[in-house]
Amino acid sequence: MDAHDSSIGPDRIRFYTAPAVVRLLVALSGGGQRAHHLAAVTGCRWDETEEALRGLQHRGMISREAGGYRLTQSGHVLAGRLLSCASGLYRALYSRPGFSLPPLPLVVEGVLDDIGHLSVPSYQDAFRHPECAEGEMREWMLSRGYLSDADGALRLTPRGEAYLTFLDRCSRTIATIEQFNSFFESHSLDDIPEFAVQRIGDLMGGVHFMYLPANLEEGLENFLEILKEAGSIHGVSTWSLPFVAEAIWKRVTAGAEVELVITPDLAGPLWQEEFVGRERDVADVPNFRLFVSTVPITVGLTVTDRALSLGLCREDGTYDTVHDLVSRAPEALAWGERLFEYYKDHAVPIEDFFREREKTT
């Protein structure tokens, strides 16, 4: 398993946190825009805007179309995650009783200076090691309410902790998107619900973000390890292998809660299996439930109490059985649970599925 290194050079951080680039990402997150409009929203000279557009296009975050530009899939993930981080920081800095978040452009403008500090290593060092903050940095942190010196000890305040979280998440987001750009561009998100696409950046919300290796055997070995440690399993699948089914059943017999949503094509063969099919008494194994989807499934999703594994279809519509994205971040698990619930809400228990089928034949 190739663990993701969340470090990133200051030059790339500096590019993505430049005001013109941030404003372009905000504008394009609402849809494709013409070049002259983008020049206006950056507040920069045209040559500066053009340079920012070229940089984003070179990095695969935007593509040029007739008369304008649009975000690529990687660009959508990047913009969504950065805007989510900005919103979290804005709430920490400005929320009061009755507070409601303003439109995203105003949110981003409200923390634009803070975003710019991502490119200054001394800021990150000061927040990670507040006891070492000195001089102007210390005074700035105290004046903004990021730092307290009660009892002679320098400590981050809750506001300071929120800012440190913002720094870490933004840095990881930029590093992760750059590393996995080719994955997002070569796989389809077309049939994934819009709410999930908008928040797909949550997959990179934590430190433990990994890309499963380039061969099926090693990928399956890692997947089986995820199942082996699971206390609960929620899954969405279009295919099954005997030893994967056996690993899941072992968790069922060990008492783990297991709920799976499958396609109608997969339901037929499984209905013939002893532990799934028509002869099974559901009451005998209440911790195992199987559902048949009523909407197309184009993902392979497994969410346990400890990890998420996500597989996608390639652009040609074939499912990629080799490359999965895996995360152990709480944000990623929550994202996976929301996606699982969507498919479960659009599914019926396998018993009802075949009962209805028998009525119509």
Side-chain angles (χ1 to χ4, degrees), residues 75-126:
H76 272 293
V77 176
L78 173 66
R81 187 62 187 166
L82 289 180
L83 296 181
S84 176
C85 291
S87 297
L89 180 61
Y90 192 97
R91 287 189 181 94
L93 296 180
Y94 303 115
S95 64
R96 298 290 186 274
F99 168 85
S100 60
L101 201 65
L104 274 176
L106 296 180
V107 167
V108 172
E109 291 300 320
V111 297
L112 195 59
D113 288 343
D114 299 284
I115 293 173
H117 293 155
L118 282 167
S119 63
V120 184
S122 60
Y123 276 83
Q124 300 197 38
D125 291 341

Side-chain angles (χ1 to χ4, degrees), residues 244-264:
V244 173
E246 181 180 353
I248 292 174
W249 190 246
K250 283 183 179 179
R251 301 312 303 147
V252 172
T253 57
E257 183 227 12
V258 176
E259 293 187 334
L260 305 176
V261 178
I262 59 175
T263 63

Side-chain angles (χ1 to χ4, degrees), residues 170-189:
C170 285
S171 297
R172 284 199 302 270
T173 291
I174 294 169
T176 302
I177 285 296
E178 289 230 331
Q179 181 170 349
F180 300 121
N181 185 8
S182 61
F183 177 87
F184 287 113
E185 289 309 303
S186 62
H187 291 76
S188 174
L189 301 176

Side-chain angles (χ1 to χ4, degrees), residues 31 51 59 70 100 120 127 140 220 295 332 353 361:
E51 182 180 355
R59 290 166 171 81
R70 65 171 181 84
S100 60
V120 184
F127 277 88
W140 178 81
L220 287 172
V295 297
F353 175 79
T361 57

